[in-house]
């Protein structure tokens, strides 16, 4: 059976990454395996989670020059077939997506379209949603 080599791109604590690592550990990722984690900041939780799971991690700082070139180089080096943006808080350009030429899945941490935009991730989204609960009755 062919299995896809998956890269997970993360910007924070890595809870979505951990869910994928756990699913892989339970044998639920039948058509792929996580071959690379790309962290867009130093010191984030996703790095420790990848290290604990024995998954290679590349720290490529999003705000530094040539970010997308470095991402593409890492994807090619690890022969990645599928990218999962798991809590990644950046936007990849159409140019990068075209050059990569393989599937990219975005696990967006917000409830689109009502709860998206700057600051809508993690607990902030849930707090805003629950503050509106009385109005939803």
């Amino acid at each position: 059976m062919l299995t896809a080599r998956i890269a997970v791109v993360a910007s924070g604590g890595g809870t979505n990454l951990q869910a994928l690592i756990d699913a892989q550990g339970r044998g639920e990722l039948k058509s792929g395996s996580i071959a690379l984690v790309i962290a867009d900041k130093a010191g984030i939780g996703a790095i420790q989670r990848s290290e604990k799971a024995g998954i290679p991690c590349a720290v490529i700082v999003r705000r530094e020059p040539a970010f997308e070139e470095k991402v593409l180089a890492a994807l090619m080096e690890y022969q990645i077939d599928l990218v999962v943006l798991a809590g990644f808080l950046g936007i990849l350009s159409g140019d990068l997506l075209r050059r990569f030429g393989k599937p990219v899945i975005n696990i967006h941490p917000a409830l689109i379209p009502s709860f998206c935009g700057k600051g809508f991730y993690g607990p902030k989204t849930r707090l805003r949603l629950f503050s509106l609960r009385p109005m939803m009755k």
Side-chain angles (χ1 to χ4, degrees):
M1 170 188 254
L2 293 175
T3 60
R5 294 178 54 79
I6 301 168
V8 179
V9 184
S11 293
T15 55
N16 288 319
L17 167 63
Q18 189 64 55
L20 292 168
I21 291 169
D22 293 347
Q24 180 170 277
R26 292 188 302 267
E28 295 171 2
L29 297 183
K30 300 189 185 314
S31 298
S33 63
I34 304 168
L36 175 66
V37 171
I38 297 176
D40 76 344
K41 290 180 268 202
I44 62 174
I47 297 167
Q48 288 78 32
R49 292 175 191 270
S50 67
E51 289 171 350
K52 184 176 178 185
I55 301 168
C57 182
V59 178
I60 305 172
V61 179
R62 182 168 25 115
R63 305 225 185 264
E64 290 185 2
F67 168 74
E68 288 194 345
E69 291 298 324
K70 293 173 184 174
V71 168
L72 187 59
L75 298 176
M76 296 302 148
E77 177 183 346
Y78 283 86
Q79 300 175 337
I80 298 302
D81 302 304
L82 169 69
V83 173
V84 177
L85 305 176
F88 174 64
L89 298 178
I91 298 173
L92 299 177
S93 72
D95 181 58
L96 172 67
L97 298 175
R98 277 188 296 282
R99 290 172 62 203
F100 177 58
K102 296 176 184 175
V104 177
I105 297 171
N106 186 20
I107 302 173
H108 196 282
L111 300 170
I112 299 173
S114 298
F115 300 92
C116 60
K118 187 174 177 90
F120 272 102
Y121 59 89
K124 293 177 186 177
T125 305
R126 288 185 293 280
L127 288 172
R128 176 73 174 125
L129 177 64
F130 291 133
S131 74
L132 298 175
R133 184 179 258 168
M135 291 189 280
M136 290 191 228
K137 291 182 178 181

